[in-house]
Amino acid sequence: MKNLSNLKKYPKILIGLVLAVSIGAISIFLYMNRVTDIDKMSMTYDQVFDTNILSQNITTSFKQTYQLKDYTVYGENLMLYEEQYSTESTDKLLGKNVLLKNLVNNQEFIFTFSGGVDSGIDLSQLDEGLYEIYVYDHYKQKRVYFSEEFVSEKFTTMRRNETVKTVTLHTERDFLSGIDVKMEKNYAFLMVMDNTPISSIYDIVLDPCGNTIDITSNSVDYGYSNEKISEAQSSYELALMVKEELEKYGLRVLIPREQDEDLSYYGSNSRVGKGYESNAKVFISLGMVADDTIVYPYIITSPYTNALLANEIAYYMKGHGISMTPVSTESRLQEGVCFDVIYQGEQGDDFTSWEMYPQIRESGGKSTFAGQVAHASENKIYADSYGMYGLYFTYANINVDESIDYYLSNKEKIAKNLSKGILQYFRVEKQEK
């Protein structure tokens, strides 16, 4: 009672203590009830963003519009199409600029659709927000809408600083009904949220070649081997080394087969199936080649891409002391990069042409026509899936001793610089502890 009596003699002190306690209680309440990244996984735009700002910035009708019919996601790139995605003709969106306007803060991003499924909207660059989509057509800015209403599957970007972005494409007229807004057409919106990564979602798949089940002959291809090297073993060891390097940067990496496990490239429990089921963004096979001329490593990439990832890796590796085999004469490809070969389909195939390497063809989802080859029917479940950016990294030639010796003498350096090339392309920086 003595302390209380003393406080009554000094009312300012008493008031100060009461205010301090009140502020502390309010701060704790606000902290405990704040919107976290985990909360946002199940929240809608009107629960995350300031609806007053959205209402002020939104436009419900436009004089200039641009109709689209399709889209793909490959790696971390969103491609939009004026017609249904196919290889039969060049889409009219090629060469045009696409503008994204963030209704939360009026920030704008511009992307040029230069062809290739890896050259559209880089989803990893987008800040959190709700974006309107426009196309510059003959210097006129036109609002994008789709012929049909839909909500896309949620896409999750790679981990960066222990954070991912989740992205959803919306084209429903009543998408903004939560703020009493009705759209005139199926205008397209991209909703982007920053989230905490989920452990079951992976960033990269490293596929060690060898021990491959060949479903056409119901046999196992154990890979190349001689007295110096075994492809199945060396590929697995290289995958472990690359995995270790990538995980130093906070990425989650999946090796789809155990050391002595036999797996195919078809079905939900296959190498690519595990990649799809884990929502990975990149699928890189590590293997060997049998050739009379190849000495140094090289990279095979999909002809449906602009080879941006492969070019970045090859450029980085060569710049850091790794010799790369010149396997292409195309000026747009770095030394050590080539496109996969397109084969024409046999009679009875639903698809008229396909890529030779199943590692690249079957990992790219809709973008590389996964599941379309006659013997790939088990992968039809991924025919409309988001595509992993597929590469085949050839590290040695079983027919040339010099090539094997080069790899065995430089495998740690190759693993490190292969990893660094991947990290540089995706702008993944080492986390500060």
Side-chain angles (χ1 to χ4, degrees), residues 108-124:
E108 295 182 351
F109 293 86
I110 295 179
F111 301 91
T112 301
F113 279 40
S114 57
V117 294
D118 57 344
S119 62
I121 297 170
D122 186 345
L123 299 175
S124 69

Side-chain angles (χ1 to χ4, degrees), residues 118 301-302 305-312 332-333 337 339 389:
D118 57 344
T301 188
S302 172
T305 73
N306 283 337
L308 299 180
L309 175 56
N311 278 342
E312 186 72 37
R332 59 176 168 158
L333 299 179
V337 177
F339 286 121
Y389 204 137

Side-chain angles (χ1 to χ4, degrees), residues 30-309:
L30 292 175
Y31 179 80
M32 296 300 293
N33 289 274
R34 76 195 189 285
V35 176
T36 66
D37 287 347
I38 295 177
D39 293 328
K40 286 189 289 187
M41 291 178 185
S42 59
M43 296 176 72
T44 57
Y45 68 90
D46 53 337
Q47 295 173 306
V48 177
F49 307 126
D50 188 323
T51 55
N52 291 325
I53 293 177
L54 293 180
S55 298
Q56 292 172 10
N57 293 336
I58 193 70
T59 303
T60 59
S61 64
F62 301 83
K63 291 183 179 179
Q64 300 284 341
T65 59
Y66 196 98
Q67 181 177 339
L68 300 179
K69 293 183 179 179
D70 208 355
Y71 73 98
T72 62
V73 175
Y74 187 77
E76 291 187 312
N77 287 276
L78 169 66
M79 290 293 296
L80 304 172
Y81 302 98
E82 188 173 321
E83 300 297 336
Q84 294 296 321
Y85 176 60
S86 73
T87 60
E88 295 179 1
S89 61
T90 301
D91 195 82
K92 294 179 181 179
L93 205 58
L94 176 64
K96 291 183 170 62
N97 290 331
V98 174
L99 168 71
L100 300 186
K101 180 181 178 181
N102 193 344
L103 295 175
V104 174
N105 56 18
N106 287 318
Q107 185 181 28
E108 295 182 351
F109 293 86
I110 295 179
F111 301 91
T112 301
F113 279 40
S114 57
V117 294
D118 57 344
S119 62
I121 297 170
D122 186 345
L123 299 175
S124 69
Q125 291 189 23
L126 302 180
D127 295 331
E128 189 172 63
L130 184 64
Y131 292 84
E132 293 177 328
I133 306 178
Y134 298 85
V135 168
Y136 282 102
D137 183 31
H138 299 291
Y139 303 103
K140 294 181 180 179
Q141 182 177 297
K142 299 181 179 181
R143 183 68 168 92
V144 165
Y145 73 98
F146 273 76
S147 55
E148 297 181 0
E149 290 189 341
F150 64 86
V151 182
S152 74
E153 292 289 332
K154 187 176 293 184
F155 173 79
T156 304
T157 64
M158 279 190 174
R159 290 165 170 79
R160 293 175 177 87
N161 295 319
E162 299 182 350
T163 301
V164 297
K165 298 178 187 296
T166 55
V167 184
T168 314
L169 177 62
H170 294 261
T171 69
E172 323 99 297
R173 291 191 185 191
D174 61 351
F175 171 54
L176 298 174
S177 61
I179 54 176
D180 297 323
V181 172
K182 181 73 173 180
M183 309 305 296
E184 187 180 70
K185 294 183 177 181
N186 303 328
Y187 294 124
F189 293 89
L190 271 184
M191 188 165 70
V192 182
M193 292 187 183
D194 294 332
N195 286 131
T196 299
I198 300 174
S199 60
S200 60
I201 293 180
Y202 284 76
D203 301 301
I204 295 176
V205 177
L206 296 175
D207 166 43
C209 291
N211 293 358
T212 303
I213 296 176
D214 185 344
I215 62 172
T216 61
S217 61
N218 195 28
S219 61
V220 176
D221 179 359
Y222 293 102
Y224 301 114
S225 66
N226 59 24
E227 66 279 1
K228 284 189 173 183
I229 195 169
S230 161
E231 182 181 23
Q233 181 64 30
S234 61
S235 296
Y236 190 83
E237 291 172 353
L238 179 58
L240 290 176
M241 288 189 285
V242 176
K243 180 177 188 287
E244 182 180 4
E245 290 294 328
L246 294 174
E247 289 182 341
K248 292 177 183 178
Y249 288 75
L251 296 180
R252 189 156 171 75
V253 180
L254 173 67
I255 298 178
R257 72 165 172 90
E258 298 296 332
Q259 186 168 356
D260 297 319
E261 184 180 16
D262 304 332
L263 278 183
S264 76
Y265 288 98
Y266 305 96
S268 59
N269 194 43
S270 69
R271 300 163 189 252
V272 297
K274 290 180 179 181
Y276 285 118
E277 300 303 323
S278 65
N279 298 118
K281 271 60 68 179
V282 180
F283 188 94
I284 300 181
S285 285
L286 309 170
M288 298 178 64
V289 68
D291 190 281
D292 293 334
T293 60
I294 298 296
V295 176
Y296 304 115
Y298 67 95
I299 305 169
I300 305 171
T301 188
S302 172
Y304 300 120
T305 73
N306 283 337
L308 299 180
L309 175 56

